[in-house]
Amino acid sequence: MTTPRRQPPAQHVLTVERTEWLTPHLVRVVAGGESLAGFTDNGHTDAYVKLLFVDPALGVEPPYDVAALRAAGHAPVVRTYTVRWVDRAARRLAIDFVTHGDTGVAAVWAAQAGPGDRLVLSGPGGGYAPDPAAAWHLFAGDLSAVPAIAAALEALPADARGVAYLEVADPGDALELKHPDQVAVHWLVNTDEGDVAFLARALDGADWAGGAQVFVHGERESVKAMRAVLRDRDVPRESISISGYWARGRTEDVFQAEKREPIGRID
């Protein structure tokens, strides 16, 4: 029996409408296009997409034949980003990019993007949405997790209770976020990039209620340290959404490969 050939994910070809620097290290790209008519609503506040970057010198028009490009030795560079918001009626979405100067692929593109530039993506994926019935909500992460946490805070019911710990290296990266009155949002400045236990100490020293639904994402080693705190608090695994979004000193290609190995897993 012949195994059916797996169809590649559908690609959405968008046009940049505008960009906005939200903070010194966070730039928002708003893009739209009719192909967003097929952009499904999966109900997740951490909805993410895969961005595809192809060498412009190749002169290839999207949507891309990824298999052919890969066979020719020109595989697209793929980067994963959270969708900050999507307006399906207007065929428009926003993605917030953390910038690191002139390093990286997607962040450099976003910092230089302008109206008329094209953005090609597939998705969305995702796996978390706040449970309105949860007694308490706990969020923790670095700047890379802010888009997903911000979307979750906005989705909470008005009477939700909880706390969010957001780690930044620059106090200028703290944003005004919409959130319920009984959810405290703490911006914590950590200037020591080697201090991977910074957020874990904040969690460990906090007085937060039982019955919590937890969302913990960010740099891999930081997330592992927070996972240890959650174990000590006996938070059930099924109540936790936890994952490393990135790893210090790794490109996403290397990081994603390591996630499939014991060294990169967050159990």
Side-chain angles (χ1 to χ4, degrees), residues 1 17 28-29 52 61 65 70 78 100 137 156 163 173 190 192 201 208 211 225 228 231 242 244 251-253 256:
M1 178 182 293
E17 297 182 0
R28 174 170 295 169
V29 175
L52 283 70
E61 291 295 313
D65 185 335
R70 186 177 292 116
V78 179
H100 310 278
H137 297 270
L156 289 171
V163 64
D173 285 325
N190 178 18
D192 181 2
R201 290 195 301 274
W208 41 280
R231 285 198 189 99
I242 187 167
T251 65
E252 180 165 340
D253 309 281
Q256 293 293 345

Side-chain angles (χ1 to χ4, degrees), residues 42-252:
N42 58 21
H44 298 141
T45 53
D46 67 341
Y48 63 85
V49 291
K50 299 288 185 179
L51 310 184
L52 283 70
F53 296 94
V54 170
D55 184 354
L58 297 174
V60 180
E61 291 295 313
Y64 302 123
D65 185 335
V66 175
L69 285 168
R70 186 177 292 116
H74 300 296
V77 174
V78 179
R79 294 293 182 261
T80 307
Y81 277 84
T82 302
V83 176
R84 178 59 183 86
W85 55 256
V86 58
D87 183 338
R88 288 175 174 80
R91 308 283 197 266
R92 182 182 295 116
L93 58 70
I95 298 174
D96 295 348
F97 295 78
V98 180
T99 61
H100 310 278
D102 58 357
T103 61
V105 176
V108 170
W109 173 87
Q112 300 172 351
D117 289 349
R118 282 192 295 196
L119 180 62
V120 182
L121 56 87
S122 62
Y128 165 86
D131 181 358
W136 186 265
H137 297 270
L138 174 65
F139 304 94
D142 57 26
L143 199 57
S144 70
V146 167
I149 292 175
L153 291 172
E154 291 176 359
L156 289 171
D159 61 349
R161 299 171 64 245
V163 64
Y165 296 102
L166 303 172
E167 177 186 352
V168 292
D170 183 341
D173 285 325
L175 289 164
E176 288 291 332
L177 300 180
K178 180 182 177 182
H179 58 88
D181 292 340
Q182 297 183 87
V183 177
V185 176
H186 301 286
W187 290 93
L188 308 176
V189 179
N190 178 18
T191 58
D192 181 2
E193 68 174 18
D195 184 5
V196 298
F198 180 82
L199 275 177
R201 290 195 301 274
L203 264 59
D204 197 32
D207 181 16
W208 41 280
Q213 185 187 24
V214 178
F215 184 86
V216 168
H217 293 256
E219 198 280 327
R220 182 173 63 196
E221 298 307 312
S222 174
V223 170
K224 286 183 177 180
M226 288 188 281
R227 179 68 179 120
V229 173
L230 298 175
R231 285 198 189 99
D232 290 344
R233 296 283 186 114
D234 295 322
V235 180
R237 183 64 184 86
E238 61 270 19
S239 298
I240 303 172
S241 173
I242 187 167
S243 178
Y245 277 166
W246 63 286
R248 188 168 283 105
R250 309 289 202 276
T251 65
E252 180 165 340

Side-chain angles (χ1 to χ4, degrees), residues 2-23:
T2 303
T3 303
R5 190 172 184 178
R6 184 178 179 182
Q7 293 298 312
Q11 295 176 31
H12 305 280
V13 182
L14 309 182
T15 301
V16 174
E17 297 182 0
R18 61 182 173 86
T19 63
E20 176 185 0
W21 283 93
L22 305 176
T23 76

